[in-house]
């Protein structure tokens, strides 16, 4: 009887124990969401600084802008795109349901296409040894945080053209990798295209044939693989950490800049990633420049965002950069306007000055500024725009090609929610005062823009490849999702008989021809 009674009492306690366990689990989930989720921020419905129409003078442009700002004044801010704040549970590989349709296969390329190139890092530039920048999976050495501008962890002296190895190192930690290419939604080709061309641009007299050699070799290798035949390469993607202009040489002249990678038909079958794309092509896409911030944990991002929200921003706007020899450059006007304004902080970078080579020099300024001026540089885009966003500073662009036509996967389509556009032509003509333009934006609108910028940080950073974020998604996650979506559309077109590319084997160079 005693034994029977004990067994029966155990049965009575079992449901209670299960209930307590379930309540504990629910409390843990609630705490996790409370810590890592933040309320959504919305976006103004009208442009903060509009682009003047053809023939519109500066005075009429300013009046139209004032009318738009009045409409925004009390407008609620619309939600950021879902992908900005979306958090997806990490897959565990294998047969996990969360990885279905998301698997990525990574080609095991011969070392001549990547590792051997890194071995020549001391010869890439005649004026600087780049090998130190390859440390820590391409992040470089940790920054000196003696003055407290950065956090103690997660910040590195990263080269802005170092994305070849950073992306490769990071995608090895992607949560849905597969060794079976038949299961893959996309195929990554870890070819260090940017580092390859750098070897031939300075301090050497490379011929056109030498500049193109490894790209042609890659195409020949890829097009012989069974993975290529599945879709003629349309499910393949690779990247160059440099701009697309370094890879679109037009002639076979030895003196012309760059190689002809982008003109190879097989490459045009693939998805190609750059830090700056060509404006007239549809198979290449821009992804963010790497910044100095490479968090290894979700908490590092959340803590940094909170720190940027608490910053006292004493400057209305700032400009950090150097002038150009080109008298037509807009930078001369920006330096003059900033230098003459008591609301602007100017960090002017002159040749051979080490000041601007120290990351804390301008990051400290960005952290104390509301708006950061981001004109065109040697090309249309600047790494500085992403450094500014890391500091919670709203970027001010002067040409749509500096961001809006470039980073469509990573930045909101509603450009006015996170940035300001002031047309170059009006600044050059003297029709627009940058200070007056920015001061007319109501404080509550500025605060919402700042919050939007800060909330963009996770999707613009490249996480430390030696660890893995748990819930937040970084620039690689966003990029891979977009590539898979693109490949799925191409796959549907092929299945429906609407494939726009036709694979044909070539002799000599290999590749796929456009039909």
């Amino acid at each position: 009887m005693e034994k029977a009674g004990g067994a029966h009492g155990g049965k009575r306690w079992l449901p209670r124990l299960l209930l307590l366990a379930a309540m504990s689990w629910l409390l843990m989930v609630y705490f996790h969401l409370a810590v890592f989720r933040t309320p959504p921020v919305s976006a103004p419905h009208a442009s903060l600084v509009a682009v003047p129409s053809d023939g519109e003078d500066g005075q009429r442009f300013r009046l139209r802008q004032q009318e738009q700002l009045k409409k925004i004044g009390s407008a609620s801010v619309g939600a950021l795109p879902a992908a900005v704040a979306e958090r997806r549970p990490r897959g565990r590989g294998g047969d996990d349901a969360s990885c279905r349709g998301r698997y990525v296969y990574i080609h095991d390329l011969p070392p001549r296409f990547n590792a051997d190139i890194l071995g020549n890092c001391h010869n890439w530039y005649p004026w600087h040894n780049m090998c130190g920048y390859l440390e820590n999976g391409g992040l470089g050495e940790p920054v000196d945080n003696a003055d407290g501008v950065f956090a103690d962890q997660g910040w590195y002296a990263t080269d802005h053209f170092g994305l070849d190895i950073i992306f490769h190192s990071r995608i090895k930690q992607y949560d849905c990798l597969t060794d079976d290419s038949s299961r893959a939604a996309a195929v990554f080709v870890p070819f260090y295209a940017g580092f390859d061309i750098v070897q031939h641009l300075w301090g050497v007299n490379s011929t056109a044939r030498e500049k193109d050699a490894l790209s042609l070799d890659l195409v020949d290798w890829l097009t012989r693989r069974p993975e290529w035949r599945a879709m003629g390469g349309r499910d393949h993607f690779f990247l160059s950490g440099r701009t697309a202009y370094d890879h679109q040489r037009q002639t076979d002249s030895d003196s012309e800049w760059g190689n002809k990678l982008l003109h190879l038909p097989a490459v045009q079958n693939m998805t190609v990633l750059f830090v700056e794309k060509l404006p007239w092509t549809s198979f290449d896409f821009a992804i963010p420049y790497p910044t100095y911030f490479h968090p290894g944990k979700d908490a590092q991002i959340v803590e940094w965002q909170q720190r940027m929200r608490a910053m006292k921003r004493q400057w209305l706007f700032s400009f950090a950069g150097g002038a150009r020899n080109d008298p037509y450059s807009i930078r001369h006007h920006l330096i003059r306007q900033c230098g003459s304004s008591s609301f602007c902080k100017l960090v002017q970078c002159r040749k051979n000055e080490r000041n601007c080579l120290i990351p804390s020099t301008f990051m400290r300024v960005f952290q104390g500024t509301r708006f950061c001026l981001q004109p065109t540089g040697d090309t249309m885009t600047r790494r500085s725009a992403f450094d500014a966003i890391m500091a919670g500073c709203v970027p001010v662009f002067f040409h749509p090609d500096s961001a809006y036509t470039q980073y469509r996967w990573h930045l909101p389509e509603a450009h006015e929610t996170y940035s300001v556009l002031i047309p170059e032509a009006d600044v050059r003509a003297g029709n627009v005062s940058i200070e007056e333009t920015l001061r007319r934006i109501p404080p509550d609108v500025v605060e919402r823009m700042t919050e939007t910028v800060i909330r963009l940080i996770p999707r613009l950073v490249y996480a430390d490849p030696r660890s893995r974020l748990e819930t937040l998604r970084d620039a690689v996650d966003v990029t891979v999702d977009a590539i898979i979506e693109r490949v799925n559309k191409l796959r549907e077109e092929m299945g429906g008989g609407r494939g726009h590319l036709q694979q044909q084997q070539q002799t000599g160079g290999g590749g796929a021809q456009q039909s």
Side-chain angles (χ1 to χ4, degrees), residues 218-501:
L218 175 75
V219 166
D220 183 64
W221 188 91
L222 282 176
T223 54
R224 296 174 187 273
R225 300 286 302 178
E227 295 86 1
W228 181 272
R229 291 194 290 271
M231 288 186 66
R234 278 160 288 203
D235 54 351
H236 285 45
F237 70 101
F238 74 98
L239 67 87
S240 165
R242 299 192 62 84
T243 71
Y245 296 97
D246 293 326
H247 302 282
Q248 56 116 27
R249 196 186 71 243
Q250 301 294 321
T251 71
D252 287 331
S253 170
D254 293 344
S255 61
E256 189 175 350
W257 183 266
N259 61 23
K260 62 178 182 181
L261 175 70
L262 288 180
H263 294 296
L264 301 179
V267 170
Q268 294 175 11
N269 272 23
M270 294 187 271
T271 299
V272 191
L273 310 175
F274 299 103
V275 292
E276 178 178 334
K277 75 179 297 294
L278 296 175
W280 54 81
T281 51
S282 60
F283 62 91
D284 61 327
F285 298 84
I287 59 177
Y289 281 88
T291 63
Y292 302 105
F293 189 23
H294 304 282
K297 298 179 180 178
D298 294 36
Q300 292 176 1
I301 298 178
V302 175
E303 290 168 5
W304 182 258
Q305 288 176 304
Q306 292 293 79
R307 180 174 168 180
M308 292 305 100
R309 289 186 179 103
M311 279 291 169
K312 295 181 179 179
R313 303 185 184 271
Q314 66 269 37
W315 302 102
L316 175 65
F317 64 112
S318 65
F319 174 62
R324 291 292 187 267
N325 294 328
D326 179 9
Y328 191 66
S329 172
I330 190 177
R331 292 184 173 219
H332 301 293
H333 301 275
L334 302 190
I335 291 172
R336 184 174 65 252
Q337 286 204 33
C338 182
S340 62
S341 171
S342 59
F343 293 88
C344 186
K345 177 64 175 178
L346 177 63
V347 181
Q348 192 166 358
C349 301
R350 296 180 175 87
K351 190 175 182 181
N352 298 324
E353 282 190 0
R354 291 191 54 82
N355 189 40
C356 286
L357 299 178
I358 302 173
S360 60
T361 299
F362 49 88
M363 287 298 289
R364 181 189 296 106
V365 172
F366 290 166
Q367 291 173 15
T369 308
R370 282 293 180 188
F371 296 95
C372 293
L373 307 186
Q374 301 297 337
T376 56
D378 295 325
T379 60
M380 298 305 296
T381 62
R382 293 181 82 199
R383 178 242 187 93
S384 177
F386 296 98
D387 289 333
I389 291 175
M390 294 300 119
C393 188
V394 177
V396 179
F397 299 114
F398 299 87
H399 196 288
D401 288 346
S402 291
Y404 304 158
T405 63
Q406 293 284 337
Y407 309 102
R408 293 176 173 172
W409 291 345
H410 295 80
L411 295 176
E413 185 177 352
H415 311 304
E416 67 275 7
T417 63
Y418 73 93
S419 67
V420 175
L421 176 65
I422 303 177
E424 283 187 1
D426 288 279
V427 176
R428 289 196 186 94
N431 294 332
V432 172
S433 163
I434 297 172
E435 177 186 321
E436 291 179 5
T437 297
L438 299 178
R439 290 182 69 182
R440 279 198 297 268
I441 302 176
D444 61 322
V445 175
V446 176
E447 289 291 343
R448 292 197 292 267
M449 296 175 74
T450 302
E451 175 62 20
T452 302
V453 164
I454 292 173
R455 293 189 65 198
L456 283 172
I457 290 175
R459 65 189 287 110
L460 300 180
V461 298
Y462 294 92
D464 191 324
R466 297 163 298 180
S467 57
R468 177 181 292 180
L469 301 180
E470 291 298 323
T471 59
L472 297 177
R473 302 171 63 248
D474 74 343
V476 173
D477 291 318
V478 174
T479 299
V480 172
D481 281 355
I483 290 172
I484 290 175
E485 181 180 357
R486 179 173 188 265
V487 171
N488 286 339
K489 291 180 180 178
L490 293 174
R491 190 175 282 115
E492 289 176 5
E493 290 181 6
M494 293 176 67
R498 298 189 304 276
H500 61 286
L501 296 174

Side-chain angles (χ1 to χ4, degrees), residues 118 166 186:
L118 299 183
I166 294 173

